[in-house]
Amino acid sequence: MNGESHRAGIIDSVPVCIMLLVPDGSLRDMNPAGLAMVEADSLERIRGKPYHHIVAPEFRSSFQALVRKVAGGGTDSLEYQITGLKGTRRWLDVHAVPFHYANGPDRYILAVARDTTERVQREGKTRYDQKMEIISTLTSGIAHDFNNILTAIIGYATVMKMKLPEDDLLRPMALQILAASERASGLTKGLLSFGSKQILNLEQVDLNDIVRNATGIFEKESGGAITVSLNLAPARLAGMVDEGQIEQSLLNIMANARDAMPSGGTLSISTETMELEDTFISIHGYGVKGSYGVIALTDSGRGMDERTRRKVFEPFFTTKEPGKGTGLGLAIVYGSIKSHRGFVNVYSEPGTGTTFRVYLPLSGDRLKHASAAASLCPEGRGETILIGDNEGGARKVVASVLERFGYRVLQASDGGEALRLFQEQADQVRLVMLDIFMPVLNGKEVCDEIIRLRPGTRVVFTSGYTADIIRQKHLLSDNVPFIAKPVSPRDLLTKIREVLDT
Ligand code: ADP
Ligand code: MG
């Protein structure tokens, strides 16, 4: 074998792209590894065509600068992206030098390019993880300290309210302080769960059951404008998870899907099992080996651009108008899934739609039968429920969940109105749900009056504070039913049914 064909054999076999460009930037020759990278079945497909058509638009001008420099006798290198003929994006690291054959006058650009996609993705993922870690440390630090401060504010404002006579001009101000600190406490809760600082209530659950329930709740809440298609893995996906947190995460993703489809559309939800092995991990740059349950949620909504996609999981990132979005929905999803040792990712194109994929480790153990059976949301049987809550947003959410699940609902926006409504319809009202801090009369005062009027009436309290803070402050005795805000629909329905049936 002579030296030349020997070298040709090497060029045909090296796993890097070797190509020859004409000074105008069109392709003259390319080895098989290069053809595979650009997804061309043969050299004829692309020979003579401008190479920069394959270069991703944002790198074209840098690539053309490289071509000019090397055509002028210099050398250059560049890391850039291409879009292969079949649409795959790759990162290439190219080094280019001037070249001419010993027996010819023509000048060429000889370029050698390595596929660096895996490395770039790994680095990007590491940087992303580091960024999220920093934000998470910062927010949970702030949230934690802030919670302590809020506890003091709430404590003193409560004492003030109790000491101030009914007709004191300062009383409404104390109530405002309480209402505002209740909102702040809601935000703080969100931040704490982004920082994965919430306690997990782990149980063996079939992930399919959680998906089924969340979908049911979503369908009832969204009232038919969105077509939901459910495609569940036939096998059970047994995971050790906090059912409430996973359900809430799915509902957050679904709420965003609904917002992205203001005039309707489809939401497809599917589950499957997946073995994560080394190849997946090295291609994507994340994950730990093992079996996972994958929940994929795809909407046909407006989608998002690259910049939005990179920021969706950050707390307070929102593209919605003030009052519509808090930017905490996906931050909470990220935190919850992470504390389950799972991960979540997003694919999206503007105008086409969005897919969120949630990966949760499967535990492989056998399911406890109890949790599978207990997974349906208990419904109402036409009972009338009176809700007293001055926070309109929270009250409406609770009301709409209850109405869709078979209850009749009366709403009051302060303690006085709650009492008035109760007096008017005392025969019908089966249960009263009272926010603890309300203007005019607080939850406890309303409750005392209602019990005086009708001793057997069932009462449930709610608040943005955790039950123990409220019990510490003696606003609630130990055996009174309590639901913490923000209320998850499942907890709400379960608790209401339980209280009605005892
Ligand atoms: P919020 O819903 O309060 O804005 P999120 O954390 O839930 O906060 O979402 C952050 C942002 O991510 C949204 O404002 C929106 O721009 C974007 N987003 C999330 N889900 C979708 C989706 N399915 N389609 C389009 N954009 C989405
Ligand atoms: Mg949201």
Side-chain angles (χ1 to χ4, degrees):
M1 201 187 274
N2 67 31
E4 209 155 289
S5 70
H6 205 123
R7 272 201 296 279
I10 292 174
I11 289 170
D12 281 353
S13 319
V14 280
V16 292
C17 166
I18 298 176
M19 62 183 171
L20 214 52
L21 301 177
V22 184
D24 72 1
S26 55
L27 188 80
R28 163 74 196 252
D29 203 355
M30 190 181 247
N31 70 341
L35 293 173
M37 284 178 202
V38 303
E39 300 178 313
D41 338 322
S42 68
L43 181 58
E44 283 58 51
R45 278 286 304 274
I46 52 171
R47 197 210 291 266
K49 305 222 170 97
Y51 177 78
H52 71 258
H53 282 181
I54 302 173
V55 177
E58 62 270 36
F59 292 100
R60 274 185 201 153
S61 65
S62 324
F63 192 85
Q64 278 161 336
L66 171 140
V67 168
R68 274 196 303 278
K69 185 168 174 197
V70 181
T75 62
D76 206 356
S77 56
L78 177 70
E79 189 155 36
Y80 65 106
Q81 271 188 298
I82 57 165
T83 310
L85 298 184
K86 296 192 179 125
T88 312
R89 278 226 172 196
R90 282 197 172 78
W91 280 97
L92 297 186
D93 188 10
V94 71
H95 294 267
V97 295
F99 175 83
H100 63 89
Y101 289 103
N103 53 2
D106 297 339
R107 304 188 73 82
Y108 297 100
I109 296 152
L110 174 64
V112 178
R114 237 167 12 100
D115 185 337
T116 54
T117 312
E118 279 183 25
R119 199 208 71 226
V120 172
Q121 280 175 350
R122 216 171 19 245
E123 284 171 1
K125 177 68 186 151
T126 310
R127 265 201 304 277
Y128 184 78
D129 282 348
Q130 284 166 348
K131 181 181 80 178
M132 293 303 265
E133 198 59 45
I134 293 167
I135 302 179
S136 154
T137 312
L138 184 71
T139 48
S140 37
I142 296 172
H144 188 262
D145 284 358
F146 199 65
N147 239 355
N148 292 337
I149 298 170
L150 273 178
T151 310
I153 296 177
I154 292 160
Y156 289 119
T158 309
V159 174
M160 256 168 79
K161 192 190 66 175
M162 290 198 249
K163 296 255 154 109
L164 286 170
E166 271 311 318
D167 54 355
D168 196 296
L169 287 178
L170 289 178
R171 205 177 144 82
M173 297 183 194
L175 294 171
Q176 288 296 330
I177 295 175
L178 284 171
S181 11
E182 191 160 331
R183 278 203 302 282
S185 146
L187 280 181
T188 318
K189 253 196 193 170
L191 287 178
L192 284 174
S193 62
F194 168 67
S196 323
K197 293 285 161 11
Q198 278 200 329
I199 299 155
L200 293 179
N201 222 331
L202 293 179
E203 260 190 301
Q204 283 272 4
V205 188
D206 182 355
L207 299 181
N208 281 332
D209 283 340
I210 307 184
V211 173
R212 231 178 261 124
N213 288 322
T215 307
I217 294 168
F218 174 75
E219 278 184 311
K220 292 210 177 198
E221 271 182 14
S222 65
I226 289 166
T227 314
V228 180
S229 89
L230 198 57
N231 196 353
L232 298 180
R236 304 208 126 166
L237 305 179
M240 269 306 252
V241 299
D242 183 317
E243 191 168 0
Q245 280 201 23
I246 300 300
E247 181 178 284
Q248 193 57 56
S249 294
L250 298 179
L251 287 172
N252 288 359
I253 295 174
M254 293 175 188
N256 287 334
R258 186 188 49 215
D259 290 346
M261 302 186 284
S263 40
T266 33
L267 174 64
S268 329
I269 305 166
S270 64
T271 61
E272 58 179 345
T273 46
M274 199 171 147
E275 288 301 318
L276 233 59
E277 3 84 357
D278 294 333
T279 28
F280 177 96
I281 295 163
S282 68
I283 290 173
H284 293 267
Y286 53 76
V288 176
K289 245 171 125 149
S291 313
Y292 287 77
V294 188
I295 306 168
L297 303 101
T298 302
D299 67 57
S300 61
R302 65 169 69 95
M304 45 188 131
D305 59 21
E306 172 73 18
R307 194 189 91 88
T308 305
R309 208 172 52 72
R310 268 189 280 123
K311 294 174 103 62
V312 280
F313 295 112
E314 288 175 23
F316 300 120
F317 174 79
T318 178
T319 57
K320 295 170 192 170
E321 51 192 271
K324 283 261 168 69
T326 57
L328 283 181
L330 290 177
I332 290 171
V333 172
Y334 183 89
S336 295
I337 303 300
K338 191 161 167 240
S339 51
H340 281 83
R341 293 176 200 287
F343 46 96
V344 47
N345 58 31
V346 53
Y347 296 90
S348 188
E349 297 287 340
T352 319
T354 302
T355 300
F356 280 91
R357 272 204 189 76
V358 174
Y359 294 74
L360 288 165
L362 293 179
S363 52
D365 299 332
R366 279 216 277 129
L367 279 181
K368 268 199 271 153
H369 288 298
S371 54
S375 51
L376 288 172
C377 283
E379 308 219 0
R381 301 176 204 125
E383 294 97 333
T384 300
I385 295 179
L386 168 62
I387 309 172
D389 191 336
N390 58 315
E391 211 190 303
R395 189 182 67 237
K396 285 187 195 119
V397 171
V398 169
S400 81
V401 170
L402 290 176
E403 277 169 355
R404 293 192 189 281
F405 279 84
Y407 294 97
R408 179 173 162 255
V409 177
L410 303 172
Q411 300 187 44
S413 56
D414 64 50
E417 193 186 349
L419 194 55
R420 211 164 41 247
L421 275 177
F422 182 79
Q423 284 163 333
E424 282 167 23
Q425 308 208 29
D427 291 340
Q428 272 100 56
V429 176
R430 287 285 317 279
L431 183 147
V432 187
M433 183 168 162
L434 297 167
D435 188 36
I436 292 188
F437 300 106
M438 280 190 291
V440 190
L441 291 173
N442 72 26
K444 186 152 188 319
E445 292 160 336
V446 177
C447 172
D448 291 347
E449 192 56 26
I450 284 178
I451 298 297
R452 201 182 59 75
L453 288 168
R454 266 198 185 229
T457 313
R458 304 231 149 63
V459 180
V460 175
F461 285 104
T462 71
S463 174
Y465 309 118
T466 55
D468 40 319
I469 291 185
I470 289 157
R471 294 209 161 100
Q472 267 168 31
K473 301 199 178 313
H474 306 294
L475 288 164
L476 197 66
S477 44
D478 282 342
N479 47 6
V480 176
F482 175 82
I483 302 177
K485 280 199 242 177
V487 204
S488 93
R490 153 192 297 283
D491 291 350
L492 174 73
L493 292 162
T494 310
K495 193 77 180 187
I496 297 278
R497 197 64 262 163
E498 185 186 305
V499 174
L500 280 172
D501 291 347
T502 44

